[in-house]
Amino acid sequence: MVRWDERTALVVVDVQNDFADPGGGLSVTGGDSIIPAVNAAVAAAGVAGAGVVYTQDWHPPDTPHFAKDGGVWPVHCVQDTWGAEFHPDLCMAGDVVRKGTGGEDGYSGFTVRDPAGGSPTDTLLDSLLRERGIETVVVAGLATDYCVRDTALDAVARGFATFVLIDAVRAVDLHPGDGVRALEAMRRAGVRSALALS
Ligand code: VGL
Ligand code: ZN
């Protein structure tokens, strides 16, 4: 059970058209079905004075993140396109942290990786949480087996008490079972599971 308070922040990961809409460039099966649960968490956080931060995958048209440029993914979340916009049903009530803006690779909301050297640099997420005195991070969004997993693992590694809302995440499941394995990896690292809807 998450106890929402001023020292807790909900991090909503990449609930953007390309992931959440069935017609999106990297559509996650059932991606849009999590939105009511995500919105319930946004509302619960708001009532309790907890923070809400939204991450936004924000790629340039050419990036080694994409298969056409040597990476693994179909083109998705290109800056200033429909696919990169937040899903229209998502309740917005907080700051946005963009990632991948300069063509960097990586999945976590906390870091991006230089596509050449692979060395990580921080996004604004960590400083945003720390300047508000956040101690607990609650993660929801897309996708369980990539950006949700890496964001939750980074949160726990950075010393935040960390929860994942299992009814407010969905997996890409490129290989069957990836989502389940990601939840297991999070659990092993000390991430606790909770429900957005109860
Ligand atoms: C993501 C693959 C590529 C995600 C982002 O948000 O989980 N997955 N870019
Ligand atoms: Zn991406």
Side-chain angles (χ1 to χ4, degrees), residues 66-101:
F66 295 157
K68 70 175 184 69
D69 303 308
V72 290
W73 300 108
V75 173
H76 63 275
C77 298
V78 173
Q79 297 164 12
D80 298 309
T81 65
W82 168 84
E85 288 170 19
F86 290 106
H87 191 284
D89 295 341
L90 178 67
C91 290
M92 298 299 296
D95 292 309
V96 173
V97 171
R98 289 177 170 167
K99 58 195 172 67
T101 307

Side-chain angles (χ1 to χ4, degrees), residues 14 19 26 57 59 65 73 76 99 107 142-143 146-148:
D14 300 0
F19 299 119
L26 183 38
D57 219 26
H59 299 298
H65 186 67
W73 300 108
H76 63 275
K99 58 195 172 67
Y107 302 116
L142 303 168
Y146 294 96
C147 291
V148 166

